[in-house]
Amino acid sequence: MSLKKKKKQSQLWWRPLDNAAKIYPAARRKNWSNIYRFAVTLKEPVDESVLQSALDVTVRRFPLIAVRLRRGVFWYYLQQLSEAPKIREENSYPLVRMSRNEVRKCALRVIVYKHRIAIEMFHSITDGTGALVFLKSLLAEYLQQKHGIQIPNEQGVYDRLEEPGAEEFEDCFLKNAGSISASRKEKTAWQVYGTPEPGGFVNQTCFELPVRTVLEKAHEYGVSLTVFVCAVMMQALQNLQKERVPNRKYRKPIRVLLPVNLRPLFPSRTLRNFALYTTPEILPKLGEYSFAEICQVVKHHMGAEVTAKQMSMKIATNVNSERILFARVMPLFIKNIVMKAVYDSVGEKKSCLSLSNLGAVKLPEIMMPYVERFDVMLGLRATTPYNCGVLSFGDTLYINFVRNIKESELEYHFHCVLRDLGISAQVRSNSQDE
């Protein structure tokens, strides 16, 4: 490396991983990396040269997101890229595994396919809130360069020419850890299983629903949209388990992991990871739950657990482990072994799947005529075959299932629950047989 290049590298921004991000590099394996995707579909074909120019500008505003993962003696850290990554063409399926070598070079992908701009990133960089801010700001810069429109910095669109504020870099887990830790004890949940797809192929199925219809039905049951969609998922899982496990006494808990954005509970403008989770459950071996019962279970579980006090205990559980002197001085290769074992024992086995609702995506009014839709896709888990991302844009709710098994039984049962509730859905898939 030349002296000039070394000097340039030494001037780049770098930060240690936040508390939530440290588990992801350790938990990686040869056939799995924890990445996720946000996508925006425009009403016109994407001009790749303009998008590359917009990306060149935008990455300078977000040194926290345009990064690569580096390995230290005791911890991993993120280092700012010296230049924007090159725009990529779409693969045959989304969420292609991000290899260790790729993450070391750049942990962010920007992908174009016809009218669609997608970003995929390694989860150690940021959570859904930070990723959406980045995509909105990139889209604003693109539309501004392409059409010469002036876009206000609102609704999550940041000024690409301003310097990032110090609060954007804050590790809010350390700041908001409580004095008492929460227990990690949970029973193993039932797992969907099936025939693995060859070559790592990822099936993607999107349910498109009218927001107004879903909200009206949710209000009939006295719950929020998030609770309602979670209840539909749990009902579908209950029906699938009943079909596969006829004897009730052998049925296992149905538990869905719901990520929780902590920024409303602990006011913050951080663009680092700042989310935890809650896991409502039903116990089918006790008997079959009606849909109304599931709604109430989820509603009351979230009401009791999604509070600042409860979440501060969960934060403390993770942060206190990190603060132990022995853990701090332990070499990274040993930390990786320990954290991977912890992830495998208390991570994915405790829930059937993750269901992440990013809520309603809002844009400055001047951008709306150019945009058709937004989508979010969670990356697949390491050992279980499903995940689900949810958001709404305009009048439509988009529910994206991803799976790496051939059987689409869960999607079928999900569709049947919606049908029985009187909700019609348009279903699109990248699989030929659906």
Side-chain angles (χ1 to χ4, degrees):
M1 184 183 293
S2 67
L3 184 62
K4 184 177 180 181
K5 191 171 182 180
K6 283 184 177 180
K7 184 178 180 181
K8 187 176 181 181
Q9 290 286 347
S10 67
Q11 293 172 344
L12 296 176
W13 172 95
W14 69 274
R15 283 287 190 283
L17 300 187
D18 60 69
N19 180 262
K22 289 176 179 176
I23 193 67
Y24 300 129
R28 285 181 304 175
R29 53 207 74 194
K30 289 183 179 180
N31 63 346
W32 176 78
S33 58
N34 198 326
I35 62 174
Y36 60 92
R37 166 184 285 217
F38 274 93
V40 57
T41 303
L42 306 184
K43 294 180 180 178
E44 62 185 13
V46 177
D47 186 324
E48 289 192 33
S49 62
V50 176
L51 181 61
Q52 185 68 63
S53 175
L55 182 62
D56 293 342
V57 173
T58 306
V59 295
R60 292 195 290 270
R61 171 61 182 80
F62 295 97
L64 176 69
I65 292 176
V67 295
R68 56 183 183 159
L69 182 71
R70 305 295 288 168
R71 186 186 182 109
V73 177
F74 298 108
W75 293 108
Y76 290 99
Y77 63 94
L78 299 175
Q79 184 180 46
Q80 178 186 2
L81 297 175
S82 59
E83 58 185 14
K86 299 302 179 185
I87 304 295
R88 297 183 176 211
E89 297 295 325
E90 183 66 277
N91 289 290
S92 57
Y93 59 91
L95 300 166
V96 172
R97 177 182 173 268
M98 192 175 282
S99 69
R100 292 177 185 272
N101 188 51
E102 183 180 351
V103 174
R104 281 195 292 266
K105 292 178 179 178
C106 179
L108 166 71
R109 297 170 178 159
V110 180
I111 302 165
V112 169
Y113 179 71
K114 295 182 178 179
H115 294 60
R116 185 176 65 224
I117 302 168
I119 61 170
E120 293 180 350
M121 60 178 67
F122 187 53
H123 212 323
S124 287
I125 299 177
T126 184
D127 56 22
T129 299
L132 195 52
V133 165
F134 179 80
L135 179 57
K136 286 181 179 181
S137 300
L138 173 61
L139 176 61
E141 183 64 30
Y142 171 80
L143 293 176
Q144 191 162 298
Q145 290 192 25
K146 176 71 174 175
H147 296 286
I149 58 176
Q150 294 301 311
I151 298 172
N153 301 314
E154 60 187 27
Q155 303 289 8
V157 172
Y158 284 27
D159 185 341
R160 279 77 62 203
L161 299 181
E162 73 176 359
E163 291 295 318
E167 67 274 12
E168 296 175 21
F169 300 94
E170 190 174 22
D171 184 346
C172 290
F173 290 105
L174 301 179
K175 178 181 178 181
N176 293 290
S179 56
I180 299 175
S181 300
S183 172
R184 281 196 172 107
K185 291 182 180 179
E186 282 185 314
K187 294 180 181 179
T188 299
W190 183 66
Q191 302 297 327
V192 182
Y193 55 88
T195 309
E197 287 282 8
F201 183 79
V202 176
N203 294 287
Q204 180 245 333
T205 304
C206 183
F207 288 75
E208 300 175 17
L209 312 172
V211 170
R212 179 175 292 183
T213 302
V214 178
L215 280 173
E216 287 174 353
K217 187 61 67 172
H219 294 160
E220 284 182 26
Y221 287 91
V223 297
S224 68
L225 187 145
T226 297
V227 170
F228 181 82
V229 174
C230 180
V232 173
M233 182 68 76
M234 294 177 79
Q235 177 78 68
L237 287 161
Q238 177 182 238
N239 294 348
L240 179 55
Q241 183 176 208
K242 180 182 177 181
E243 190 177 90
R244 291 190 173 186
V245 187
N247 192 329
R248 197 178 80 188
K249 71 178 183 179
Y250 295 120
R251 294 175 193 163
K252 292 185 177 181
I254 299 293
R255 192 179 298 117
V256 172
L257 187 149
L258 298 174
V260 176
N261 178 16
L262 296 177
R263 292 166 182 83
L265 297 177
F266 307 96
S268 168
R269 294 194 66 226
T270 186
L271 291 182
R272 304 178 82 178
N273 285 287
F274 195 38
L276 279 178
Y277 61 88
T278 185
T279 50
E281 72 171 4
I282 57 174
L283 304 172
K285 68 166 49 181
L286 302 180
E288 192 165 342
Y289 288 69
S290 70
F291 183 74
E293 286 179 308
I294 298 174
C295 283
Q296 291 307 303
V297 167
V298 179
K299 176 182 177 180
H300 292 300
H301 178 94
M302 291 186 68
E305 188 156 285
V306 184
T307 67
K309 289 182 174 61
Q310 290 293 322
M311 287 295 147
S312 69
M313 286 200 305
K314 284 196 171 189
I315 294 172
T317 303
N318 297 330
V319 169
N320 289 346
S321 300
E322 179 184 333
R323 285 173 171 168
I324 298 171
L325 179 61
F326 177 70
R328 286 161 56 189
V329 300
M330 184 188 298
L332 183 57
F333 77 94
I334 298 178
K335 284 192 180 86
N336 282 344
I337 296 170
V338 173
M339 287 193 289
K340 185 174 182 179
V342 170
Y343 182 85
D344 288 344
S345 63
V346 303
E348 297 178 351
K349 295 178 181 179
K350 304 305 179 182
S351 58
C352 305
L353 52 73
S354 298
L355 190 154
S356 181
N357 182 13
L358 275 295
V361 177
K362 303 289 186 182
L363 291 174
E365 195 63 34
I366 196 170
M367 295 174 67
M368 293 295 286
Y370 300 94
V371 180
E372 184 71 36
R373 62 185 285 172
F374 277 82
D375 289 276
V376 59
M377 296 180 205
L378 303 187
L380 287 161
R381 294 171 160 200
T383 58
T384 57
Y386 270 98
N387 257 345
C388 186
V390 182
L391 58 73
S392 66
F393 180 70
D395 299 326
T396 306
L397 181 70
Y398 300 97
I399 303 175
N400 277 290
F401 285 76
V402 293
R403 73 175 194 279
N404 61 3
I405 56 174
K406 293 181 180 292
E407 296 82 3
S408 57
E409 293 167 285
L410 180 57
E411 292 95 324
Y412 169 76
H413 282 287
F414 190 85
H415 187 271
C416 290
V417 174
L418 291 173
R419 181 198 61 201
D420 293 344
L421 290 167
I423 301 174
S424 59
Q426 184 172 5
V427 184
R428 304 176 190 271
S429 174
N430 68 343
S431 302
Q432 297 298 319
D433 59 343
E434 296 183 17

